Amino acid sequence: VQLQASGGGLVQAGGSLRLSCAASGFTYREYAIGWFRQAPGKERQLISCIGTDTGNSYYTDSVEGRFAISYDNGKNMVYLQTNSLKPEDAGTYYCAAGMGNINICNYGEHFMDYWGKGTQVTVSS
């Protein structure tokens, strides 16, 4: 089982990045895929989640309207389009897979079954 996040980088405030999560080794559509962020000195938090069975999505309040999560089942890829980035959006972004529907993401990170290595997002002011 492998999850690989990519697409991070350094961007100015107001800019955009598209993060990608490549998944392999498990039955993709049995899992919800979440994006979590960990900022320095802070706990990892759920940013967005998508149910690959229904396409339902969730966003934490701070990114609602600026970020968009999507998936490509044919490629086993999940994307997080991040727009209008703010310095407080910076951190290491991880994608994770949890068996079940989208609700699994909100149960907490310990309920996620697989994690990828993170990708760093830096936002300059």
mmCIF file of all heavy atoms in Angstrom, residues 30-62:
data_model
loop_
_atom_site.group_PDB
_atom_site.id
_atom_site.type_symbol
_atom_site.label_atom_id
_atom_site.label_comp_id
_atom_site.label_asym_id
_atom_site.label_seq_id
_atom_site.Cartn_x
_atom_site.Cartn_y
_atom_site.Cartn_z
ATOM 1 N N GLU A 30 -13.043 1.881 -1.849
ATOM 2 C CA GLU A 30 -13.539 1.496 -0.527
ATOM 3 C C GLU A 30 -13.085 2.476 0.544
ATOM 4 O O GLU A 30 -13.397 2.300 1.719
ATOM 5 C CB GLU A 30 -13.054 0.088 -0.175
ATOM 6 C CG GLU A 30 -13.652 -0.993 -1.056
ATOM 7 C CD GLU A 30 -13.137 -2.377 -0.676
ATOM 8 O OE1 GLU A 30 -12.228 -2.479 0.168
ATOM 9 O OE2 GLU A 30 -13.657 -3.357 -1.237
ATOM 10 N N TYR A 31 -12.337 3.506 0.109
ATOM 11 C CA TYR A 31 -11.727 4.409 1.076
ATOM 12 C C TYR A 31 -12.116 5.860 0.818
ATOM 13 O O TYR A 31 -12.328 6.273 -0.323
ATOM 14 C CB TYR A 31 -10.206 4.292 1.000
ATOM 15 C CG TYR A 31 -9.672 2.995 1.548
ATOM 16 C CD1 TYR A 31 -9.772 1.817 0.810
ATOM 17 C CD2 TYR A 31 -9.077 2.952 2.797
ATOM 18 C CE1 TYR A 31 -9.298 0.626 1.319
ATOM 19 C CE2 TYR A 31 -8.576 1.759 3.308
ATOM 20 C CZ TYR A 31 -8.701 0.610 2.565
ATOM 21 O OH TYR A 31 -8.226 -0.563 3.082
ATOM 22 N N ALA A 32 -12.156 6.611 1.898
ATOM 23 C CA ALA A 32 -12.186 8.058 1.802
ATOM 24 C C ALA A 32 -10.739 8.549 1.870
ATOM 25 O O ALA A 32 -9.916 7.954 2.565
ATOM 26 C CB ALA A 32 -12.997 8.667 2.940
ATOM 27 N N ILE A 33 -10.451 9.607 1.134
ATOM 28 C CA ILE A 33 -9.099 10.175 1.118
ATOM 29 C C ILE A 33 -9.137 11.564 1.727
ATOM 30 O O ILE A 33 -9.938 12.415 1.306
ATOM 31 C CB ILE A 33 -8.555 10.261 -0.316
ATOM 32 C CG1 ILE A 33 -8.668 8.892 -1.028
ATOM 33 C CG2 ILE A 33 -7.120 10.768 -0.298
ATOM 34 C CD1 ILE A 33 -7.809 7.819 -0.430
ATOM 35 N N GLY A 34 -8.306 11.769 2.706
ATOM 36 C CA GLY A 34 -8.259 13.055 3.376
ATOM 37 C C GLY A 34 -6.920 13.746 3.201
ATOM 38 O O GLY A 34 -5.887 13.094 3.030
ATOM 39 N N TRP A 35 -6.969 15.052 3.234
ATOM 40 C CA TRP A 35 -5.748 15.867 3.293
ATOM 41 C C TRP A 35 -5.653 16.478 4.687
ATOM 42 O O TRP A 35 -6.617 17.103 5.164
ATOM 43 C CB TRP A 35 -5.796 16.979 2.246
ATOM 44 C CG TRP A 35 -5.511 16.529 0.862
ATOM 45 C CD1 TRP A 35 -6.425 16.224 -0.114
ATOM 46 C CD2 TRP A 35 -4.229 16.336 0.268
ATOM 47 N NE1 TRP A 35 -5.784 15.851 -1.265
ATOM 48 C CE2 TRP A 35 -4.432 15.911 -1.062
ATOM 49 C CE3 TRP A 35 -2.916 16.492 0.726
ATOM 50 C CZ2 TRP A 35 -3.375 15.629 -1.927
ATOM 51 C CZ3 TRP A 35 -1.878 16.215 -0.135
ATOM 52 C CH2 TRP A 35 -2.099 15.791 -1.454
ATOM 53 N N PHE A 36 -4.532 16.279 5.331
ATOM 54 C CA PHE A 36 -4.262 16.811 6.659
ATOM 55 C C PHE A 36 -3.072 17.763 6.551
ATOM 56 O O PHE A 36 -2.195 17.599 5.700
ATOM 57 C CB PHE A 36 -3.923 15.675 7.632
ATOM 58 C CG PHE A 36 -5.073 14.745 7.907
ATOM 59 C CD1 PHE A 36 -5.472 13.797 6.976
ATOM 60 C CD2 PHE A 36 -5.750 14.803 9.121
ATOM 61 C CE1 PHE A 36 -6.530 12.938 7.234
ATOM 62 C CE2 PHE A 36 -6.798 13.943 9.395
ATOM 63 C CZ PHE A 36 -7.190 13.006 8.444
ATOM 64 N N ARG A 37 -3.034 18.720 7.452
ATOM 65 C CA ARG A 37 -1.922 19.674 7.468
ATOM 66 C C ARG A 37 -1.349 19.737 8.870
ATOM 67 O O ARG A 37 -2.084 19.768 9.860
ATOM 68 C CB ARG A 37 -2.402 21.064 7.053
ATOM 69 C CG ARG A 37 -1.337 22.145 7.092
ATOM 70 C CD ARG A 37 -1.897 23.472 6.637
ATOM 71 N NE ARG A 37 -2.820 24.033 7.619
ATOM 72 C CZ ARG A 37 -3.869 24.772 7.303
ATOM 73 N NH1 ARG A 37 -4.144 25.020 6.017
ATOM 74 N NH2 ARG A 37 -4.651 25.262 8.243
ATOM 75 N N GLN A 38 -0.036 19.797 8.921
ATOM 76 C CA GLN A 38 0.636 20.014 10.196
ATOM 77 C C GLN A 38 1.564 21.204 10.066
ATOM 78 O O GLN A 38 2.526 21.181 9.291
ATOM 79 C CB GLN A 38 1.427 18.787 10.641
ATOM 80 C CG GLN A 38 1.997 18.934 12.032
ATOM 81 C CD GLN A 38 2.425 17.620 12.630
ATOM 82 O OE1 GLN A 38 2.763 16.672 11.918
ATOM 83 N NE2 GLN A 38 2.415 17.543 13.951
ATOM 84 N N ALA A 39 1.247 22.241 10.807
ATOM 85 C CA ALA A 39 2.090 23.427 10.857
ATOM 86 C C ALA A 39 3.099 23.264 11.981
ATOM 87 O O ALA A 39 2.853 22.509 12.934
ATOM 88 C CB ALA A 39 1.226 24.661 11.080
ATOM 89 N N PRO A 40 4.220 23.953 11.902
ATOM 90 C CA PRO A 40 5.241 23.828 12.947
ATOM 91 C C PRO A 40 4.669 24.134 14.324
ATOM 92 O O PRO A 40 4.008 25.145 14.529
ATOM 93 C CB PRO A 40 6.284 24.869 12.539
ATOM 94 C CG PRO A 40 6.129 24.999 11.070
ATOM 95 C CD PRO A 40 4.664 24.823 10.809
ATOM 96 N N GLY A 41 4.900 23.239 15.269
ATOM 97 C CA GLY A 41 4.446 23.431 16.626
ATOM 98 C C GLY A 41 2.978 23.187 16.856
ATOM 99 O O GLY A 41 2.470 23.420 17.964
ATOM 100 N N LYS A 42 2.282 22.728 15.839
ATOM 101 C CA LYS A 42 0.840 22.496 15.965
ATOM 102 C C LYS A 42 0.497 21.044 15.657
ATOM 103 O O LYS A 42 1.253 20.329 15.028
ATOM 104 C CB LYS A 42 0.068 23.428 15.042
ATOM 105 C CG LYS A 42 0.221 24.901 15.383
ATOM 106 C CD LYS A 42 -0.685 25.766 14.543
ATOM 107 C CE LYS A 42 -0.573 27.227 14.924
ATOM 108 N NZ LYS A 42 -1.472 28.098 14.111
ATOM 109 N N GLU A 43 -0.674 20.648 16.109
ATOM 110 C CA GLU A 43 -1.144 19.310 15.821
ATOM 111 C C GLU A 43 -1.593 19.208 14.366
ATOM 112 O O GLU A 43 -1.999 20.196 13.755
ATOM 113 C CB GLU A 43 -2.312 18.955 16.753
ATOM 114 C CG GLU A 43 -1.921 18.814 18.209
ATOM 115 C CD GLU A 43 -3.072 18.340 19.070
ATOM 116 O OE1 GLU A 43 -4.205 18.243 18.559
ATOM 117 O OE2 GLU A 43 -2.840 18.061 20.251
ATOM 118 N N ARG A 44 -1.541 18.005 13.858
ATOM 119 C CA ARG A 44 -2.018 17.765 12.505
ATOM 120 C C ARG A 44 -3.538 17.891 12.487
ATOM 121 O O ARG A 44 -4.216 17.381 13.387
ATOM 122 C CB ARG A 44 -1.578 16.379 12.055
ATOM 123 C CG ARG A 44 -1.782 16.106 10.592
ATOM 124 C CD ARG A 44 -0.875 14.997 10.102
ATOM 125 N NE ARG A 44 -0.917 13.788 10.885
ATOM 126 C CZ ARG A 44 -0.108 12.752 10.708
ATOM 127 N NH1 ARG A 44 0.818 12.794 9.739
ATOM 128 N NH2 ARG A 44 -0.210 11.676 11.462
ATOM 129 N N GLN A 45 -4.049 18.555 11.485
ATOM 130 C CA GLN A 45 -5.484 18.774 11.420
ATOM 131 C C GLN A 45 -6.035 18.395 10.041
ATOM 132 O O GLN A 45 -5.335 18.480 9.040
ATOM 133 C CB GLN A 45 -5.839 20.235 11.719
ATOM 134 C CG GLN A 45 -5.361 21.227 10.687
ATOM 135 C CD GLN A 45 -5.940 22.623 10.858
ATOM 136 O OE1 GLN A 45 -5.216 23.607 10.789
ATOM 137 N NE2 GLN A 45 -7.233 22.730 11.079
ATOM 138 N N LEU A 46 -7.282 17.992 10.045
ATOM 139 C CA LEU A 46 -7.952 17.659 8.788
ATOM 140 C C LEU A 46 -8.289 18.941 8.034
ATOM 141 O O LEU A 46 -8.856 19.875 8.594
ATOM 142 C CB LEU A 46 -9.243 16.883 9.082
ATOM 143 C CG LEU A 46 -10.123 16.569 7.874
ATOM 144 C CD1 LEU A 46 -9.419 15.594 6.932
ATOM 145 C CD2 LEU A 46 -11.459 15.999 8.335
ATOM 146 N N ILE A 47 -7.905 18.974 6.764
ATOM 147 C CA ILE A 47 -8.203 20.113 5.917
ATOM 148 C C ILE A 47 -9.377 19.810 4.989
ATOM 149 O O ILE A 47 -10.293 20.609 4.837
ATOM 150 C CB ILE A 47 -6.972 20.506 5.074
ATOM 151 C CG1 ILE A 47 -5.822 20.902 6.000
ATOM 152 C CG2 ILE A 47 -7.321 21.621 4.105
ATOM 153 C CD1 ILE A 47 -6.139 22.067 6.913
ATOM 154 N N SER A 48 -9.340 18.672 4.364
ATOM 155 C CA SER A 48 -10.379 18.322 3.410
ATOM 156 C C SER A 48 -10.434 16.815 3.265
ATOM 157 O O SER A 48 -9.457 16.117 3.552
ATOM 158 C CB SER A 48 -10.068 18.964 2.049
ATOM 159 O OG SER A 48 -11.079 18.681 1.109
ATOM 160 N N CYS A 49 -11.575 16.331 2.810
ATOM 161 C CA CYS A 49 -11.747 14.892 2.644
ATOM 162 C C CYS A 49 -12.733 14.643 1.520
ATOM 163 O O CYS A 49 -13.643 15.452 1.299
ATOM 164 C CB CYS A 49 -12.262 14.274 3.949
ATOM 165 S SG CYS A 49 -12.413 12.482 3.929
ATOM 166 N N ILE A 50 -12.564 13.536 0.831
ATOM 167 C CA ILE A 50 -13.490 13.179 -0.231
ATOM 168 C C ILE A 50 -13.812 11.700 -0.149
ATOM 169 O O ILE A 50 -12.930 10.877 0.112
ATOM 170 C CB ILE A 50 -12.920 13.559 -1.613
ATOM 171 C CG1 ILE A 50 -14.004 13.435 -2.690
ATOM 172 C CG2 ILE A 50 -11.693 12.730 -1.980
ATOM 173 C CD1 ILE A 50 -13.641 14.145 -3.996
ATOM 174 N N GLY A 51 -15.082 11.389 -0.352
ATOM 175 C CA GLY A 51 -15.502 10.002 -0.427
ATOM 176 C C GLY A 51 -15.423 9.554 -1.873
ATOM 177 O O GLY A 51 -16.164 10.064 -2.710
ATOM 178 N N THR A 52 -14.543 8.620 -2.163
ATOM 179 C CA THR A 52 -14.362 8.219 -3.553
ATOM 180 C C THR A 52 -15.503 7.336 -4.055
ATOM 181 O O THR A 52 -15.573 7.033 -5.234
ATOM 182 C CB THR A 52 -13.027 7.479 -3.746
ATOM 183 O OG1 THR A 52 -12.992 6.347 -2.876
ATOM 184 C CG2 THR A 52 -11.858 8.385 -3.447
ATOM 185 N N ASP A 53 -16.410 6.964 -3.138
ATOM 186 C CA ASP A 53 -17.586 6.212 -3.582
ATOM 187 C C ASP A 53 -18.710 7.147 -4.006
ATOM 188 O O ASP A 53 -19.453 6.857 -4.950
ATOM 189 C CB ASP A 53 -18.072 5.275 -2.470
ATOM 190 C CG ASP A 53 -18.318 6.012 -1.159
ATOM 191 O OD1 ASP A 53 -17.888 7.170 -1.023
ATOM 192 O OD2 ASP A 53 -18.950 5.404 -0.268
ATOM 193 N N THR A 54 -18.815 8.284 -3.344
ATOM 194 C CA THR A 54 -19.928 9.188 -3.623
ATOM 195 C C THR A 54 -19.506 10.513 -4.244
ATOM 196 O O THR A 54 -20.315 11.199 -4.843
ATOM 197 C CB THR A 54 -20.678 9.518 -2.330
ATOM 198 O OG1 THR A 54 -19.760 10.168 -1.437
ATOM 199 C CG2 THR A 54 -21.215 8.254 -1.666
ATOM 200 N N GLY A 55 -18.257 10.883 -4.035
ATOM 201 C CA GLY A 55 -17.805 12.196 -4.459
ATOM 202 C C GLY A 55 -18.109 13.292 -3.463
ATOM 203 O O GLY A 55 -17.781 14.457 -3.683
ATOM 204 N N ASN A 56 -18.734 12.927 -2.330
ATOM 205 C CA ASN A 56 -18.997 13.929 -1.300
ATOM 206 C C ASN A 56 -17.690 14.460 -0.757
ATOM 207 O O ASN A 56 -16.711 13.735 -0.632
ATOM 208 C CB ASN A 56 -19.814 13.322 -0.159
ATOM 209 C CG ASN A 56 -21.222 12.979 -0.580
ATOM 210 O OD1 ASN A 56 -21.736 13.526 -1.557
ATOM 211 N ND2 ASN A 56 -21.855 12.072 0.135
ATOM 212 N N SER A 57 -17.699 15.746 -0.401
ATOM 213 C CA SER A 57 -16.462 16.366 0.074
ATOM 214 C C SER A 57 -16.718 17.166 1.337
ATOM 215 O O SER A 57 -17.854 17.549 1.644
ATOM 216 C CB SER A 57 -15.866 17.261 -1.011
ATOM 217 O OG SER A 57 -16.783 18.274 -1.387
ATOM 218 N N TYR A 58 -15.635 17.374 2.052
ATOM 219 C CA TYR A 58 -15.665 18.135 3.299
ATOM 220 C C TYR A 58 -14.475 19.099 3.299
ATOM 221 O O TYR A 58 -13.392 18.756 2.810
ATOM 222 C CB TYR A 58 -15.568 17.190 4.498
ATOM 223 C CG TYR A 58 -15.165 17.907 5.774
ATOM 224 C CD1 TYR A 58 -16.115 18.528 6.582
ATOM 225 C CD2 TYR A 58 -13.826 17.988 6.137
ATOM 226 C CE1 TYR A 58 -15.733 19.218 7.722
ATOM 227 C CE2 TYR A 58 -13.431 18.677 7.278
ATOM 228 C CZ TYR A 58 -14.384 19.277 8.063
ATOM 229 O OH TYR A 58 -14.012 19.963 9.191
ATOM 230 N N TYR A 59 -14.687 20.293 3.865
ATOM 231 C CA TYR A 59 -13.613 21.258 4.041
ATOM 232 C C TYR A 59 -13.689 21.852 5.433
ATOM 233 O O TYR A 59 -14.788 22.154 5.924
ATOM 234 C CB TYR A 59 -13.721 22.401 3.025
ATOM 235 C CG TYR A 59 -13.689 21.934 1.589
ATOM 236 C CD1 TYR A 59 -14.866 21.678 0.898
ATOM 237 C CD2 TYR A 59 -12.476 21.747 0.938
ATOM 238 C CE1 TYR A 59 -14.847 21.244 -0.412
ATOM 239 C CE2 TYR A 59 -12.443 21.312 -0.382
ATOM 240 C CZ TYR A 59 -13.636 21.054 -1.044
ATOM 241 O OH TYR A 59 -13.605 20.611 -2.341
ATOM 242 N N THR A 60 -12.553 22.047 6.041
ATOM 243 C CA THR A 60 -12.554 22.774 7.287
ATOM 244 C C THR A 60 -12.887 24.237 6.985
ATOM 245 O O THR A 60 -12.645 24.736 5.868
ATOM 246 C CB THR A 60 -11.199 22.632 7.995
ATOM 247 O OG1 THR A 60 -11.309 23.082 9.331
ATOM 248 C CG2 THR A 60 -10.109 23.419 7.284
ATOM 249 N N ASP A 61 -13.432 24.926 7.952
ATOM 250 C CA ASP A 61 -13.955 26.275 7.718
ATOM 251 C C ASP A 61 -12.921 27.226 7.123
ATOM 252 O O ASP A 61 -13.238 28.060 6.263
ATOM 253 C CB ASP A 61 -14.492 26.860 9.026
ATOM 254 C CG ASP A 61 -15.788 26.230 9.469
ATOM 255 O OD1 ASP A 61 -16.420 25.530 8.651
ATOM 256 O OD2 ASP A 61 -16.174 26.417 10.642
ATOM 257 N N SER A 62 -11.685 27.103 7.572
ATOM 258 C CA SER A 62 -10.674 28.081 7.169
ATOM 259 C C SER A 62 -10.305 28.004 5.692
ATOM 260 O O SER A 62 -9.704 28.943 5.158
ATOM 261 C CB SER A 62 -9.412 27.917 8.023
ATOM 262 O OG SER A 62 -8.833 26.657 7.809
#
